[in-house]
Amino acid sequence: SGAVTTVATGNILIPPAQIKDAIRTAWRTVQPQIIQKNVKGLSPAAGAKEFTKEGGQSLYRFLLDQGMVNQSAAYGDVIGLIQDAGSTGVFDFFKKKMPQQIKRFLRKAQELYVAEDDFWKVFNFFGESYKIRRAYAAAIQAGKIKLKDVPGGSLDSMEILLDATRNVRAMLPNYAYVPELVKASRRAPLGNFVSFPAEIIRTSANIMTKAHKEINSPIFERMGWERMFGFLGATAALAPTAV
């Protein structure tokens, strides 16, 4: 679903070299990395572009503080179901008898589940920050704005990264945005995994709204068209093709 959402946001349309860098950044940033350990990363003082490209623990902490990562909607429902069932004492026997090897395996499985969701969020964050910088640079070159009009007064400012995190939170499923009423409905006989469908409704509306707003902007028009075509491609082409 993360890959399909990446198509829907239009972030799959960034240049191949940027796609390669986005994958590298996501790989170096998500928790955990089984094959190799995460790099420490750079300080934000190194500049927003290099800070993002390097990835690592420092970038993950930044994105975690912004509420962008570690917020898988499906994983939130899984943990909620386990907690609901656990309150009855049904797992007490298994907690006592389960071998440590199985416990470690289950912990790793949980970490990998979250990491897969975070991978695509970091990828989209990279794409959004790249396209925002590209839009401002093109607007400056065309004489539409001056450098001082860019948030933070620089194409390498942290304000651009904050804009990118807001876009990702708005357009990718995020458990923090699921209403309590929806979360509670998993206890009703309607279905256990209710948060992800609810988030698809929210994020789909946000993608279309954002695309329309960007298309009508003299600075972000290209981003808007990319987002619009990406969303139409994800909804009109990918689903029938998969069937």
Side-chain angles (χ1 to χ4, degrees), residues 81-181:
L81 288 165
I82 291 173
Q83 290 172 346
D84 291 344
S87 64
T88 67
V90 69
F91 293 135
D92 291 345
F93 172 80
F94 296 103
K95 285 180 181 177
K96 293 175 183 176
K97 299 294 185 181
M98 186 180 293
Q100 286 299 318
Q101 295 92 330
I102 295 179
K103 289 182 180 180
R104 283 195 295 270
F105 170 78
L106 292 175
R107 279 196 297 271
K108 287 295 181 184
Q110 291 177 4
E111 291 171 359
L112 287 170
Y113 194 94
V114 174
E116 186 274 338
D117 184 73
D118 284 347
F119 179 91
W120 293 108
K121 285 180 177 173
V122 177
F123 183 103
N124 278 274
F125 164 76
F126 186 100
E128 290 290 326
S129 60
Y130 164 76
K131 290 196 297 184
I132 292 171
R133 283 195 302 272
R134 181 190 65 186
Y136 280 126
I140 292 171
Q141 187 174 8
K144 296 177 181 178
I145 61 171
K146 298 185 182 299
L147 185 60
K148 64 181 180 63
D149 299 319
V150 176
S154 168
L155 293 175
D156 207 23
S157 69
M158 291 300 292
E159 281 79 1
I160 288 177
L161 299 191
L162 293 175
D163 285 343
T165 61
R166 281 190 284 269
N167 287 352
V168 173
R169 290 198 306 269
M171 290 180 278
L172 272 77
N174 189 310
Y175 193 65
Y177 289 86
V178 180
E180 289 300 324
L181 180 62

Side-chain angles (χ1 to χ4, degrees), residues 77 81 182-195 197:
D77 276 339
L81 288 165
V182 173
K183 292 178 182 177
S185 68
R186 69 170 178 265
R187 303 185 183 98
L190 302 173
N192 299 127
F193 298 96
V194 292
S195 296

Side-chain angles (χ1 to χ4, degrees), residues 29-106:
T29 302
V30 295
Q31 316 290 317
Q33 289 197 346
I34 303 299
I35 298 175
Q36 65 182 35
K37 294 197 177 208
N38 300 76
V39 296
K40 183 179 179 181
L42 299 174
S43 164
K49 185 176 179 181
E50 286 302 315
F51 174 63
T52 301
K53 186 176 179 180
E54 180 67 13
Q57 297 284 348
S58 57
L59 178 61
Y60 193 84
R61 283 194 296 271
F62 168 76
L63 299 178
L64 192 63
D65 289 342
Q66 298 304 314
M68 202 196 85
V69 293
N70 199 26
Q71 290 290 350
S72 168
Y75 180 74
D77 276 339
V78 170
I79 295 302
L81 288 165
I82 291 173
Q83 290 172 346
D84 291 344
S87 64
T88 67
V90 69
F91 293 135
D92 291 345
F93 172 80
F94 296 103
K95 285 180 181 177
K96 293 175 183 176
K97 299 294 185 181
M98 186 180 293
Q100 286 299 318
Q101 295 92 330
I102 295 179
K103 289 182 180 180
R104 283 195 295 270
F105 170 78
L106 292 175

